[in-house]
Amino acid sequence: MKKTKILISTLLAAMVLIAAAAFPVYADIIYIRGDANSDGKVNINDVTYVQRVIAKSEPDPKGVVKRNCDVDGNGLNIVDATNIQRYIALFANPYQIGKQFHYDEYELPFIPSH
């Protein structure tokens, strides 16, 4: 009986370790939507940075620009840069650019209500 308990305990511990490796926990990341260079504000420098990443003249190795600036959830493209420019010019802001968000690996893209 004692060997059975030890065996079951060992198997359960192994299953927990396997599950932990398969489903890693990510720390919550706080970011500002539209802030490509992560300086805490959204301005023309962010638009330029987004354009450079899209043109592949600037790297985005950790996906920070994509996470922060894919404002419409359709993949990072020139429309996102245009929407950020519209925010800077004080046009309507349906994508909540400039607002702080919490991100984790399981976040769905933001979809504005029209």
Side-chain angles (χ1 to χ4, degrees), residues 14-58:
M15 289 171 55
V16 168
L17 289 174
I18 290 169
F23 302 104
V25 176
Y26 295 94
D28 195 32
I29 298 169
I30 297 173
Y31 72 98
I32 296 173
R33 183 164 287 142
D35 183 11
N37 58 10
S38 300
D39 66 355
K41 54 191 174 227
V42 179
N43 56 33
I44 197 65
N45 295 329
D46 298 301
V47 175
T48 302
Y49 198 73
V50 168
Q51 291 170 334
R52 292 175 60 82
V53 168
I54 292 167
K56 299 189 183 341
S57 63
E58 192 77 42

XYZ file of all heavy atoms in Angstrom, residues 14-58:
341
model
N 4.868 14.261 -11.524
C 5.358 14.297 -12.900
C 4.324 14.934 -13.820
O 4.669 15.724 -14.709
C 5.703 12.889 -13.373
N 3.046 14.617 -13.600
C 1.994 15.210 -14.431
C 1.911 16.725 -14.229
O 1.706 17.475 -15.180
C 0.644 14.546 -14.113
C 0.551 13.118 -14.620
S -0.911 12.214 -14.065
C -2.228 13.261 -14.584
N 2.078 17.175 -13.000
C 2.058 18.614 -12.722
C 3.224 19.296 -13.425
O 3.061 20.363 -14.030
C 2.085 18.875 -11.196
C 2.367 20.339 -10.896
C 0.781 18.433 -10.561
N 4.393 18.706 -13.379
C 5.568 19.291 -14.053
C 5.377 19.346 -15.559
O 5.723 20.334 -16.201
C 6.831 18.502 -13.703
C 7.335 18.660 -12.273
C 8.500 17.708 -12.020
C 7.738 20.087 -11.999
N 4.810 18.299 -16.131
C 4.557 18.273 -17.576
C 3.521 19.333 -17.950
O 3.681 20.066 -18.921
C 4.102 16.864 -18.020
C 5.271 15.888 -17.916
C 3.540 16.895 -19.441
C 4.888 14.436 -18.076
N 2.467 19.453 -17.153
C 1.431 20.449 -17.422
C 2.000 21.863 -17.301
O 1.681 22.746 -18.103
C 0.259 20.266 -16.472
N 2.851 22.098 -16.319
C 3.457 23.424 -16.142
C 4.337 23.784 -17.334
O 4.371 24.935 -17.764
C 4.272 23.457 -14.851
N 5.024 22.806 -17.885
C 5.872 23.072 -19.056
C 5.022 23.301 -20.298
O 5.366 24.114 -21.159
C 6.829 21.898 -19.277
N 3.900 22.605 -20.401
C 3.051 22.732 -21.579
C 2.237 24.019 -21.575
O 1.914 24.563 -22.626
C 2.107 21.531 -21.664
N 1.896 24.528 -20.409
C 1.079 25.730 -20.285
C 1.804 26.757 -19.424
O 1.457 26.958 -18.264
C -0.285 25.398 -19.663
C -1.053 24.382 -20.439
C -1.142 23.075 -19.996
C -1.674 24.724 -21.628
C -1.848 22.129 -20.705
C -2.384 23.785 -22.352
C -2.470 22.480 -21.895
N 2.806 27.433 -19.978
C 3.567 28.393 -19.170
C 2.698 29.584 -18.767
O 1.770 29.965 -19.468
C 4.691 28.829 -20.098
C 4.186 28.546 -21.464
C 3.266 27.374 -21.347
N 3.012 30.139 -17.631
C 2.300 31.320 -17.139
C 3.120 32.547 -17.510
O 4.314 32.603 -17.236
C 2.114 31.236 -15.610
C 1.461 32.502 -15.084
C 1.315 30.005 -15.240
N 2.480 33.510 -18.146
C 3.161 34.724 -18.554
C 2.752 35.866 -17.635
O 1.587 35.978 -17.258
C 2.791 35.085 -19.999
C 3.270 34.066 -20.986
C 2.444 33.036 -21.404
C 4.557 34.116 -21.486
C 2.877 32.088 -22.309
C 5.006 33.172 -22.386
C 4.162 32.160 -22.786
O 4.607 31.225 -23.675
N 3.696 36.709 -17.325
C 3.389 37.874 -16.514
C 2.528 38.834 -17.327
O 2.667 38.945 -18.536
C 4.675 38.560 -16.093
N 1.650 39.500 -16.649
C 0.801 40.485 -17.292
C 1.671 41.653 -17.759
O 2.502 42.149 -17.014
C -0.249 40.962 -16.300
C -1.383 41.696 -16.955
O -1.724 41.366 -18.103
O -1.933 42.590 -16.310
N 1.490 42.063 -18.996
C 2.257 43.154 -19.575
C 1.326 44.346 -19.724
O 0.216 44.217 -20.220
C 2.826 42.748 -20.948
C 3.775 41.564 -20.789
C 3.513 43.928 -21.625
C 4.180 40.927 -22.096
N 1.772 45.507 -19.280
C 0.990 46.727 -19.444
C 1.605 47.508 -20.601
O 2.817 47.677 -20.673
C 1.015 47.561 -18.157
C 0.359 46.770 -17.029
C 0.305 48.891 -18.362
C 0.471 47.414 -15.674
N 0.756 47.962 -21.525
C 1.253 48.730 -22.663
C 0.245 49.805 -23.039
O -0.905 49.775 -22.606
C 1.526 47.815 -23.866
C 0.274 47.282 -24.531
C -0.237 47.897 -25.675
C -0.392 46.183 -24.036
C -1.382 47.416 -26.289
C -1.531 45.702 -24.642
C -2.022 46.320 -25.766
O -3.166 45.855 -26.363
N 0.702 50.766 -23.818
C -0.158 51.824 -24.320
C -0.391 51.552 -25.801
O 0.567 51.442 -26.575
C 0.473 53.210 -24.103
C 0.609 53.465 -22.603
C -0.353 54.299 -24.784
C 1.356 54.711 -22.246
N -1.664 51.426 -26.170
C -1.992 51.127 -27.561
C -1.519 52.278 -28.455
O -1.833 53.437 -28.225
C -3.493 50.914 -27.725
C -3.829 50.520 -29.158
C -5.200 49.938 -29.312
N -5.204 48.591 -28.750
C -6.212 48.081 -28.068
N -7.280 48.775 -27.852
N -6.156 46.857 -27.601
N -0.704 51.936 -29.460
C -0.172 52.919 -30.401
C 1.232 53.378 -30.068
O 1.858 54.084 -30.853
N 1.764 52.978 -28.918
C 3.103 53.401 -28.483
C 4.150 52.409 -28.998
O 4.545 51.480 -28.313
C 3.140 53.483 -26.962
C 4.463 53.991 -26.416
O 5.294 54.482 -27.206
O 4.667 53.895 -25.191
N 4.620 52.630 -30.216
C 5.536 51.691 -30.873
C 6.891 51.608 -30.184
O 7.481 50.542 -30.090
C 5.728 52.084 -32.330
N 7.406 52.732 -29.713
C 8.749 52.736 -29.126
C 8.735 52.614 -27.607
O 9.773 52.731 -26.963
C 9.529 53.979 -29.562
C 8.833 55.266 -29.178
O 7.866 55.267 -28.422
N 9.327 56.366 -29.705
N 7.556 52.367 -27.030
C 7.394 52.113 -25.591
C 7.966 53.224 -24.707
O 8.532 52.958 -23.652
C 8.020 50.764 -25.208
O 7.416 49.713 -25.912
N 7.789 54.477 -25.132
C 8.271 55.594 -24.317
C 7.171 56.205 -23.446
O 7.382 57.205 -22.779
C 8.926 56.674 -25.187
C 7.951 57.365 -26.125
O 6.768 56.966 -26.187
O 8.378 58.310 -26.814
N 5.985 55.604 -23.476
C 4.904 56.044 -22.620
C 3.977 57.075 -23.226
O 3.055 57.545 -22.570
N 4.191 57.438 -24.481
C 3.302 58.398 -25.144
C 3.157 58.019 -26.613
O 3.994 57.321 -27.175
C 3.823 59.822 -24.991
C 5.247 60.010 -25.449
C 5.798 61.361 -25.030
C 7.254 61.409 -25.400
N 8.124 61.877 -24.397
N 2.082 58.486 -27.216
C 1.822 58.212 -28.629
C 2.018 59.516 -29.392
O 1.327 60.497 -29.136
C 0.396 57.677 -28.844
C 0.142 57.413 -30.319
C 0.177 56.399 -28.030
N 2.993 59.501 -30.308
C 3.267 60.696 -31.107
C 3.792 60.281 -32.483
O 3.812 59.097 -32.812
C 4.248 61.635 -30.377
C 5.548 60.956 -29.991
O 6.037 60.075 -30.692
N 6.101 61.348 -28.866
N 4.219 61.250 -33.257
C 4.651 60.990 -34.636
C 5.851 60.040 -34.693
O 6.021 59.317 -35.682
C 4.928 62.320 -35.390
C 4.961 62.083 -36.899
C 6.187 62.984 -34.879
C 3.641 61.637 -37.470
N 6.650 59.994 -33.641
C 7.776 59.049 -33.615
C 7.277 57.600 -33.682
O 7.925 56.743 -34.283
C 8.624 59.256 -32.361
C 9.295 60.604 -32.349
O 9.641 61.162 -33.391
N 9.473 61.158 -31.161
N 6.132 57.349 -33.070
C 5.558 56.000 -33.115
C 5.089 55.648 -34.525
O 5.281 54.525 -34.983
C 4.400 55.892 -32.122
C 4.880 56.109 -30.696
O 5.746 55.351 -30.252
O 4.385 57.046 -30.048
N 4.487 56.613 -35.213
C 4.039 56.387 -36.590
C 5.240 56.046 -37.473
O 5.203 55.085 -38.251
C 3.292 57.621 -37.144
C 2.934 57.414 -38.610
C 2.055 57.903 -36.320
N 6.301 56.815 -37.329
C 7.520 56.561 -38.109
C 8.082 55.179 -37.812
O 8.470 54.442 -38.723
C 8.574 57.641 -37.817
O 8.023 58.914 -38.129
C 9.842 57.418 -38.618
N 8.092 54.814 -36.540
C 8.617 53.507 -36.144
C 7.778 52.375 -36.745
O 8.317 51.399 -37.260
C 8.654 53.417 -34.620
C 9.552 52.339 -34.082
C 10.931 52.476 -34.130
C 9.027 51.188 -33.522
C 11.766 51.493 -33.628
C 9.846 50.194 -33.022
C 11.214 50.349 -33.078
O 12.031 49.368 -32.592
N 6.459 52.525 -36.695
C 5.568 51.515 -37.292
C 5.850 51.389 -38.785
O 5.971 50.279 -39.323
C 4.077 51.873 -37.052
C 3.163 51.001 -37.902
C 3.727 51.727 -35.587
N 5.978 52.509 -39.473
C 6.248 52.480 -40.913
C 7.574 51.791 -41.208
O 7.679 51.016 -42.159
C 6.239 53.901 -41.475
C 4.866 54.532 -41.486
C 4.896 56.008 -41.814
O 5.888 56.702 -41.596
N 3.781 56.512 -42.325
N 8.577 52.035 -40.367
C 9.887 51.401 -40.574
C 9.820 49.886 -40.340
O 10.449 49.120 -41.051
C 10.938 52.057 -39.683
C 11.247 53.500 -40.101
C 12.211 54.196 -39.153
N 13.491 53.527 -39.061
C 14.489 53.659 -39.933
N 14.348 54.452 -40.968
N 15.618 53.013 -39.766
N 9.031 49.467 -39.363
C 8.870 48.018 -39.118
C 8.130 47.368 -40.283
O 8.513 46.294 -40.756
C 8.154 47.766 -37.773
C 7.725 46.307 -37.640
C 9.047 48.163 -36.602
N 7.089 48.036 -40.768
C 6.332 47.496 -41.902
C 7.234 47.378 -43.135
O 7.174 46.383 -43.868
C 5.108 48.374 -42.208
C 4.096 48.258 -41.073
C 4.458 47.978 -43.532
C 3.000 49.300 -41.122
N 8.099 48.388 -43.349
C 9.009 48.382 -44.497
C 10.216 47.473 -44.278
O 11.068 47.334 -45.152
C 9.484 49.804 -44.788
N 10.283 46.863 -43.086
C 11.369 45.953 -42.720
C 12.734 46.650 -42.653
O 13.774 46.019 -42.811
C 11.415 44.730 -43.627
C 10.141 43.908 -43.567
C 10.268 42.605 -44.287
C 9.039 41.767 -44.330
N 7.962 41.924 -43.472
N 12.726 47.961 -42.413
C 13.997 48.661 -42.206
C 14.295 48.794 -40.716
O 15.350 49.299 -40.332
C 13.977 50.046 -42.874
O 13.002 50.864 -42.285
N 13.382 48.339 -39.889
C 13.553 48.320 -38.435
C 13.028 46.972 -37.942
O 11.949 46.546 -38.346
C 12.747 49.458 -37.821
C 13.029 49.746 -36.374
C 14.322 50.506 -36.175
O 14.620 51.432 -36.939
O 15.040 50.146 -35.233
